[in-house]
Amino acid sequence: MTDIIELTDLQRRFKHGDIDVLALRGIDLTVAQGEFVALVGPSGSGKSTLLNLLGGLDRPSSGEIWVDGVPLQEADEKARTAHRRYHVGFIFQSFNLLPRLTALENVAIPLMLAGVSRAERDARAQAMLERVGLGHRLDHYPSEMSGGEQQRTAVARALIHNPAIILADEPTGNLDSVTGDSIMSLLKQLNQEEGITLILVTHDEEVARFANRIVKLRDGQIVEIVEQERPSSSQISSPSSQPQGKGHLSFGDIVRGALLNLRRRPVRNILTAGGVLIGIVTLVAMVSFGVGVQIEVQRNFETVGLENVFVSPQFAEGDEFDPFAPPQAEQPITPAVVAQIEAIPEVTAVTPSLILPQGIDLTLTLNDEAQPIRVSEGGESRFSFGDTHETLAGSRLADGQSAGIVLVAGLAEKFLAGGETYDDLVGQSVTLTARLPRGETADFPTTIVGVRDSFGSRTIDLGLTEREAIKAWWFGQPDILQTEGYDMLMVRAVELGAVTAVIEAIEEMDLRTQSLEAILDVANQVLALLQALLGSVGALALLVAALGVANTMMMAIYERTREIGILKALGASRGEIRSMFTVESAMLGLLGGVFGLFFGFLLGRFVDWVAHRYLINEGITGIGPLSVIPWWLAVGAILFAILIGILAGIYPAARAAKLDPVKALRYE
Ligand code: ADP
Ligand code: MG
């Protein structure tokens, strides 16, 4: 018969500060496959220490320990984890079932750690529970079962992955004698029917009777070995333990486990997630205000015309001023040049303007009623900053290629016959008469297109067509646009950021530009500063939240020390324990992030509402939303929350992973 366990001069020394405890002082023992060995001895004789060494939970100080072909004295962490996972099954005195899992789930743990699919491990766990007589307790939690039932569940868990060896540490110690006997009968039956090697610690003589051999320990040494009956040779040889499933805990199971843990302590986890939540709420609300205010300010800048570039020709130096000679531009703004500027990709609109010569004398005649008038310069609304004159009738002159005139109310009044309204003037044909200082006159027929509100009683807005005609006549140049070009252009960039590019392109054409770029730069700096400020308040809040998550995870480790020990005994690796804790704290972060985003949105809405009430009270209207959550803020906030969770979990997870399973199992 092959030996499954070989111990040679095995020693285990514990150092506790200055005190040295030699728990095992040179054990020599071989155990045959399929044998049932009882380890007996007084408390403190080293029984549990020996069992932990056999199970790969602990490492010997010296000597050799071969178990199921594995030289455990030289096995590293990984090899010992594999040993626990595939070669041995543990049964403890205090059952060590995981309280939040059902009997079925507890039994399935070793298969879960081995990466066996859920359907398969459930089926196998059910079969195993039926085998130990618990077919009717599948969905019961440990707290709902008697001690005997719990230990049967533990036996099923120890057997589920077909280990070659079962290690049982006083399995009947917490049971009454009748229940204890039934557990022992079960173990004995498994030992005989399956050929599983059974190493069982007990100090109960009755229990030891079931064994083939009794090994008596005292002060870390074997003092006596009592042979009872050799295992019958008819025994089936032990099933060779082999890896099943994927060989590691699946990510889905890690996530499921984390969710279970989160549900187990709802109040604490909600409070912890609440910490993240407050951080995210602050961050989202603050940044959303930064974004909202920026959009609003930008919008206001746009109505002011910050993205407008004014283009004029450059004039040669030293020209004598002559009102009757057109100024000599180096590069006149001809319609061809306008077309060229319109073709610049960052340009959305080009509005040309013509300025009438100084000192021109104009008269407007309607139905024999003649009135002296003056022409508003740049009468098109967008040329003046914030022209808010109300349109009283008809329409206003459109930007660019327009024809017709708009009268101010005071002038329109003079042309109204009794009972007529402004609307009656719209569409009427009128004549503009221009007079040169030396007396020549010319008539220009045009049409009234609208009436607007303004001061004065002489002003008209004049269309580009009429301006061109008057200028051509004044200078005696019919093709004045082709030769002299426009006086000025207003070029609108697609957005504030494109203004510089537009300016550069136009200046390449030897034209002069003017814009409010300097103001724009300052404004953008102020806004960036504002956002940085708001963002850092949010980040600070998140840091506090991270400390909260870290704190909860640390508490969870203390609380779950024993559970971690059990999982390790059942074959969970350090990496898997670390993943479990990391995923759990990432989920806390995610939870806080999602709710934080939601409440941050609500808070933004609320503060926005209050701010609008205030602004309306102050007489400021037309302000858009101040709290805006763009997609990148929403996505960023949630990712950030998860990151906070992971960062906060790094240290606790590493600590949990490093826990010594032997100490963890002793922990109460
Ligand atoms: P038994 O299971 O036979 O009651 P143990 O194997 O638990 O005994 O302990 C044997 C001796 O080793 C005892 O003196 C105990 O105090 C000591 N011991 C066991 N584990 C540790 C440990 N982790 N640290 C220090 N001493 C230990
Ligand atoms: Mg013990």
Side-chain angles (χ1 to χ4, degrees):
M1 215 176 285
T2 41
D3 288 331
I4 196 164
I5 294 172
E6 278 185 60
L7 310 177
T8 316
D9 195 21
L10 190 68
Q11 299 204 0
R12 179 64 169 108
R13 182 188 301 272
F14 291 106
K15 286 200 178 71
H16 255 294
D18 297 340
I19 309 159
D20 242 11
V21 179
L22 204 50
L24 295 177
R25 322 168 166 250
I27 302 285
D28 292 291
L29 183 70
T30 55
V31 176
Q33 200 163 45
E35 213 184 332
F36 178 173
V37 173
L39 292 175
V40 297
S43 178
S45 55
K47 306 181 296 290
S48 296
T49 304
L50 180 54
L51 213 62
N52 290 337
L53 286 174
L54 290 171
L57 284 174
D58 196 12
R59 328 184 57 154
S61 306
S62 68
E64 285 195 18
I65 171 169
W66 287 74
V67 181
D68 204 12
V70 181
L72 283 173
Q73 69 278 1
E74 58 198 37
D76 59 7
E77 174 72 30
K78 208 176 147 199
R80 281 189 288 132
T81 299
H83 178 69
R84 294 196 289 262
R85 182 174 291 184
Y86 300 116
H87 298 249
V88 298
F90 273 99
I91 300 170
F92 305 91
Q93 177 174 356
S94 50
F95 323 136
N96 279 342
L97 299 176
L98 299 190
R100 75 200 137 87
L101 299 185
T102 62
L104 189 81
E105 288 164 339
N106 262 291
V107 172
I109 292 173
L111 296 181
M112 181 179 86
L113 290 173
V116 174
S117 76
R118 197 167 182 193
E120 188 191 334
R121 65 187 195 234
D122 281 358
R124 280 168 66 178
Q126 179 172 353
M128 193 55 79
L129 276 165
E130 278 161 4
R131 175 116 200 252
V132 299
L134 285 179
H136 57 302
R137 289 280 183 268
L138 302 180
D139 295 324
H140 285 235
Y141 288 91
S143 57
E144 300 163 353
M145 294 190 284
S146 71
E149 286 173 331
Q150 289 189 54
Q151 197 60 303
R152 277 172 190 273
T153 307
V155 169
R157 183 177 66 182
L159 288 169
I160 190 76
H161 54 304
N162 294 326
I165 305 165
I166 296 272
L167 303 169
D169 198 344
E170 308 212 21
T172 58
N174 282 8
L175 304 173
D176 61 78
S177 60
V178 177
T179 316
D181 272 1
S182 80
I183 291 288
M184 282 315 301
S185 305
L186 174 65
L187 287 174
K188 180 76 184 171
Q189 185 195 350
L190 290 167
N191 166 247
Q192 282 177 338
E193 287 176 6
E194 306 275 332
I196 297 174
T197 310
L198 182 57
I199 311 291
L200 183 139
V201 167
T202 183
H203 54 239
D204 185 341
E205 299 282 319
E206 293 290 303
V207 169
R209 274 192 305 106
F210 288 87
N212 304 129
R213 265 196 300 170
I214 302 175
V215 175
K216 294 189 175 170
L217 285 178
R218 182 169 307 225
D219 292 334
Q221 282 175 310
I222 297 177
V223 289
E224 192 190 354
I225 297 181
V226 180
E227 297 272 347
Q228 306 208 103
E229 30 130 13
R230 294 305 290 170
S232 58
S233 49
S234 67
Q235 272 179 347
I236 323 151
S237 67
S238 161
S240 64
S241 36
Q242 63 214 345
Q244 307 139 313
K246 284 181 293 190
H248 62 83
L249 186 58
S250 73
F251 186 69
D253 283 324
I254 291 180
V255 171
R256 219 193 322 271
L259 282 173
L260 257 170
N261 275 326
L262 290 180
R263 256 189 299 171
R264 181 161 57 146
R265 295 245 173 267
V267 175
R268 170 182 313 157
N269 287 322
I270 284 169
L271 286 178
T272 308
V276 179
L277 183 146
I278 288 170
I280 293 288
V281 166
T282 316
L283 182 87
V284 167
M286 293 289 175
V287 174
S288 80
F289 278 115
V291 172
V293 169
Q294 188 168 33
I295 289 174
E296 184 58 24
V297 170
Q298 199 137 319
R299 196 172 66 84
N300 278 295
F301 282 170
E302 273 162 22
T303 59
V304 162
L306 270 195
E307 82 285 31
N308 289 344
V309 177
F310 294 92
V311 180
S312 50
Q314 298 189 14
F315 295 97
E317 292 281 315
D319 262 17
E320 297 261 317
F321 176 72
D322 175 359
F324 300 103
Q328 291 303 307
E330 280 179 7
Q331 164 66 60
I333 309 174
T334 60
V337 170
V338 172
Q340 220 178 320
I341 292 176
E342 275 169 341
I344 298 171
E346 292 90 351
V347 168
T348 50
V350 178
T351 310
S353 103
L354 279 170
I355 297 162
L356 292 183
Q358 296 282 321
I360 193 164
D361 182 6
L362 288 170
T363 313
L364 185 66
T365 312
L366 167 64
N367 302 335
D368 302 328
E369 172 73 29
Q371 291 289 339
I373 51 122
R374 57 171 287 272
V375 173
S376 66
E377 268 325 333
E380 292 87 352
S381 61
R382 295 222 199 141
F383 272 91
S384 49
F385 295 111
D387 172 14
T388 55
H389 299 310
E390 211 183 324
T391 303
L392 300 174
S395 60
R396 302 291 288 276
L397 291 177
D399 290 337
Q401 302 298 328
S402 60
I405 61 171
V406 173
L407 311 182
V408 299
L411 180 61
E413 212 65 63
K414 296 179 183 168
F415 291 112
L416 285 180
E420 274 185 335
T421 64
Y422 295 143
D423 285 315
D424 297 322
L425 293 177
V426 175
Q428 297 248 31
S429 296
V430 288
T431 307
L432 263 178
T433 309
R435 183 192 301 275
L436 290 179
R438 51 183 184 263
E440 285 173 56
T441 62
D443 285 348
F444 300 92
T446 179
T447 313
I448 297 173
V449 298
V451 178
R452 70 174 168 94
D453 190 20
S454 183
F455 309 110
S457 56
R458 291 183 52 192
T459 311
I460 64 164
D461 298 335
L462 185 58
L464 212 54
T465 315
E466 289 79 0
R467 286 168 185 263
E468 184 191 339
I470 293 172
K471 264 189 109 169
W473 169 74
W474 178 277
F475 291 116
Q477 283 191 9
D479 58 347
I480 190 158
L481 272 191
Q482 305 303 324
T483 54
E484 308 302 329
Y486 293 103
D487 294 295
M488 192 162 73
L489 295 179
M490 192 194 71
V491 177
R492 178 176 280 254
V494 277
E495 50 168 5
L496 289 177
V499 170
T500 315
V502 170
I503 288 175
E504 275 168 15
I506 292 173
E507 284 182 347
E508 294 232 322
M509 301 160 78
D510 283 330
L511 295 169
R512 220 159 64 89
T513 62
Q514 273 177 298
S515 72
L516 300 176
E517 212 186 356
I519 296 179
L520 186 68
D521 281 349
V522 173
N524 276 338
Q525 273 174 26
V526 169
L527 287 175
L529 207 67
L530 181 75
Q531 256 188 333
L533 178 85
L534 294 174
S536 31
V537 173
L540 218 65
L542 272 181
L543 191 72
V544 176
L547 291 177
V549 176
N551 188 42
T552 300
M553 293 317 290
M554 287 306 289
M555 302 254 294
I557 290 172
Y558 288 121
E559 207 178 72
R560 272 186 244 156
T561 301
R562 196 177 177 86
E563 181 183 323
I564 294 166
I566 296 168
L567 286 171
K568 281 201 161 179
L570 297 180
S573 69
R574 285 187 179 194
E576 284 161 352
I577 300 276
R578 195 182 307 119
S579 304
M580 288 177 198
F581 274 81
T582 308
V583 167
E584 208 176 308
S585 63
M587 279 185 171
L588 275 177
L590 173 67
L591 202 69
V594 170
F595 283 98
L597 183 61
F598 177 67
F599 286 114
F601 167 77
L602 287 188
L603 181 69
R605 274 295 156 94
F606 175 70
V607 175
D608 209 2
W609 180 79
V610 173
H612 274 88
R613 293 301 99 177
Y614 172 77
L615 288 172
I616 286 168
N617 260 347
E618 295 290 299
I620 302 168
T621 53
I623 303 287
L626 294 179
S627 164
V628 174
I629 302 183
W631 69 268
W632 54 261
L633 178 58
V635 173
I638 291 194
L639 289 183
F640 204 41
I642 294 174
L643 184 72
I644 288 285
I646 291 174
L647 286 180
I650 283 180
Y651 177 68
R655 258 191 83 123
K658 266 203 241 142
L659 269 183
D660 176 359
V662 176
K663 284 195 192 130
L665 283 169
R666 285 172 171 250
Y667 189 92
E668 288 295 341

